[in-house]
Amino acid sequence: MSLFDSRRDFVKKTAMATAGASLLPLSSFVEAKPKNKLPAWKGFNLLDFFSHDPDQGRPSKPDYLKWIADWGFDFVRVPISYPSYLNIDRSRPIRADEVLNFDESRLEKVDQLVEKSLNEGLHVSLNLHRAPGFCINAGFEEPYNLWKDQEALEAFCAHWEMWAKRYRGISAKKLSFDLVNEPFQRENPNDQHSPGGPVDVADYHRVAKAALETIKSVKNSRLVIADGNGGGGMAVPELADLDLAQSCRGYHPFPISHYKAGWVYKDPESVPPVDWPLKQDDRVLGIEAIREYYAPWKALIDQGVGVHCGECGCYNQTPHQVFLAWFGDVLQVLKEMEVGFGIWEFSGAFGVLNSRRKDMVYEDWYGEKLDRKFLELLQKQI
């Protein structure tokens, strides 16, 4: 076919498409919903570097990435505790003069996981779960406060500059950066049950802007994501002026997702039974309550901000049937918004493998314990 013929066919098809479009009612254009700017990636968090001590990590088994891809998923989020890739004395709290002691041999372990994930066709989201000056998990002594101290912010940016340079050659379609896990202010950082709330929005904006500019100075096309405030669940429209996507959470309502979780409740056994829909005070929470919860996130999408659900799922103490009924509704609402998800862990208490639930029958999967019903619920979203 000649170039002229190709062009003639193209013009003809375009004219036909335009003519057809002109016959559509005006409402079909007016009512068209805005599309989420982020791909609806679906997959899992991998906790290989979640511990500050690399010798206590939870390395993914060789087949995990292959299974994730073979089952139809396309995403892994890698939450990292920054001391895990430093050369430091872990018998005591980290000092300010140690936070940039990068250990090349430990960084190469991260490289290997990233490379293996990319080889399976999975998008990788690299996240600092513990960053210089902050971690939502209590019990760590940091030498400063990320949200208040300039020295902490400079160290935070230095870490992201290191990662940006290290992965400069990887396409933004294959790799994104998730700045810091679940911003939160706790009254007592050493007490997991200490009350707290959202980080001051001005402080969050300042920290996010500085890290974003650092990353973009290395590779301007890099996709950068900011977690929701207040522990990940609160949309942050105040960040919309920055070139940032945002990451929500799929843990609402918390009494379902974290039923009897020891790090949430001081006396887990005193927690009353749950069901779905959930009776709470004078309300009955069902799928409409979930839609209401995500309304601020839908507003962000309508505003042109990309949204992804970086963490979601359910602790293994929630009755299995309650979990599946509730999470099916969560997934339905995320699908309505065109938002993808990352289940908190692939293998473990929240995972499709080896969750240690006591009220279900597992399928043997090459020596692993597979929650087939959970997996099939997830695959319906693909």
Side-chain angles (χ1 to χ4, degrees):
M1 180 181 293
S2 69
L3 179 61
F4 176 80
D5 289 335
S6 299
R7 177 174 177 78
R8 181 174 57 192
D9 286 349
F10 171 78
V11 172
K12 182 178 179 181
K13 291 176 181 177
T14 302
M16 292 174 65
T18 304
S22 67
L23 299 177
L24 294 173
L26 180 61
S27 62
S28 65
F29 296 100
V30 175
E31 296 174 1
K33 63 179 180 179
K35 183 176 177 62
N36 186 2
K37 289 177 64 175
L38 277 188
W41 300 302
K42 300 174 180 68
F44 302 87
N45 282 254
L46 299 177
L47 308 190
D48 297 53
F49 310 103
F50 180 65
S51 172
H52 71 286
D53 185 347
D55 296 329
Q56 297 179 6
R58 295 172 53 185
S60 299
K61 293 185 178 180
D63 288 330
Y64 280 5
L65 293 167
K66 181 180 184 302
W67 294 343
I68 290 172
D70 286 350
W71 286 339
F73 301 99
D74 60 359
F75 173 85
V76 290
R77 180 174 180 259
V78 184
I80 301 176
S81 178
Y82 82 96
S84 70
Y85 56 79
L86 299 182
N87 182 9
I88 57 173
D89 180 356
R90 292 179 176 79
S91 67
R92 55 167 173 73
I94 191 170
R95 301 191 309 253
D97 64 339
E98 297 176 318
V99 298
L100 299 183
N101 289 355
F102 300 129
D103 186 325
E104 181 61 25
S105 65
R106 300 193 189 281
L107 289 170
E108 288 175 356
K109 298 291 185 183
V110 181
D111 294 345
Q112 291 168 13
L113 180 62
V114 170
E115 182 178 7
K116 291 176 182 177
S117 300
L118 297 179
N119 288 341
E120 293 293 345
L122 304 172
H123 179 92
V124 177
S125 178
L126 203 67
N127 163 252
L128 284 186
H129 192 278
R130 178 182 173 187
F134 173 73
C135 183
I136 192 170
N137 293 48
F140 299 118
E141 292 185 37
E142 282 291 316
Y144 33 43
N145 185 332
L146 174 61
W147 312 113
K148 298 296 182 181
D149 300 332
Q150 181 62 26
E151 189 179 2
L153 177 56
E154 291 172 359
F156 182 61
C157 290
H159 277 256
W160 278 119
E161 181 179 30
M162 180 273 295
W163 288 117
K165 289 180 176 179
R166 195 171 190 89
Y167 297 141
R168 179 173 11 211
I170 299 177
S171 165
K173 293 182 179 180
K174 297 180 178 181
L175 176 76
S176 58
F177 291 155
D178 182 345
L179 290 177
V180 59
N181 185 70
E182 300 177 355
F184 193 76
Q185 291 277 35
R186 200 182 302 279
E187 289 182 11
N188 181 358
N190 290 314
D191 181 2
Q192 190 70 35
H193 302 291
S194 174
V199 170
D200 181 272
V201 172
D203 289 334
Y204 192 8
H205 189 284
R206 176 177 49 81
V207 169
K209 183 173 185 289
L212 175 67
E213 290 176 349
T214 298
I215 292 167
K216 293 286 190 176
S217 71
V218 177
K219 188 180 183 71
N220 189 56
S221 64
R222 179 66 62 211
L223 173 60
V224 184
I225 298 171
D227 281 12
N229 206 347
M234 297 174 59
V236 196
E238 296 86 353
L239 299 183
D241 64 315
L242 301 176
D243 185 16
L244 287 168
Q246 293 193 32
S247 178
C248 63
R249 292 295 179 266
Y251 297 134
H252 178 77
F254 218 61
I256 295 282
S257 65
H258 287 69
Y259 180 63
K260 291 188 176 182
W263 64 95
V264 176
Y265 301 100
K266 289 185 177 181
D267 183 10
E269 294 309 313
S270 68
V271 177
V274 291
D275 202 348
W276 187 253
L278 177 69
K279 294 180 181 179
Q280 192 174 70
D281 300 326
D282 296 329
R283 298 183 63 194
V284 176
L285 305 183
I287 192 169
E288 288 305 321
I290 296 175
R291 290 192 178 101
E292 179 182 335
Y293 171 79
Y294 283 109
W297 294 96
K298 178 61 168 62
L300 273 185
I301 294 172
D302 293 345
Q303 193 176 344
V305 177
V307 172
H308 186 262
C309 184
E311 286 187 27
C312 55
C314 192
Y315 188 49
N316 63 10
Q317 296 304 300
T318 305
H320 195 242
Q321 292 305 314
V322 175
F323 156 50
L324 294 178
W326 161 74
F327 201 56
D329 283 350
V330 172
L331 293 174
Q332 172 63 31
V333 175
L334 291 177
K335 187 174 184 178
E336 292 169 2
M337 299 193 303
E338 300 178 311
V339 170
F341 58 80
I343 304 300
W344 178 254
E345 73 188 331
F346 182 60
S347 173
F350 283 71
V352 295
L353 294 179
N354 310 312
S355 62
R356 301 187 301 280
R357 294 181 180 273
K358 299 178 180 179
D359 59 344
M360 56 164 292
V361 177
Y362 290 97
E363 175 183 327
D364 179 76
W365 182 263
Y366 297 97
E368 310 281 328
K369 294 182 177 180
L370 172 64
D371 184 342
R372 174 63 70 176
K373 289 185 178 180
F374 183 19
L375 174 60
E376 290 177 347
L377 178 66
L378 296 176
Q379 289 178 317
K380 289 179 182 178
Q381 308 300 315
I382 297 174

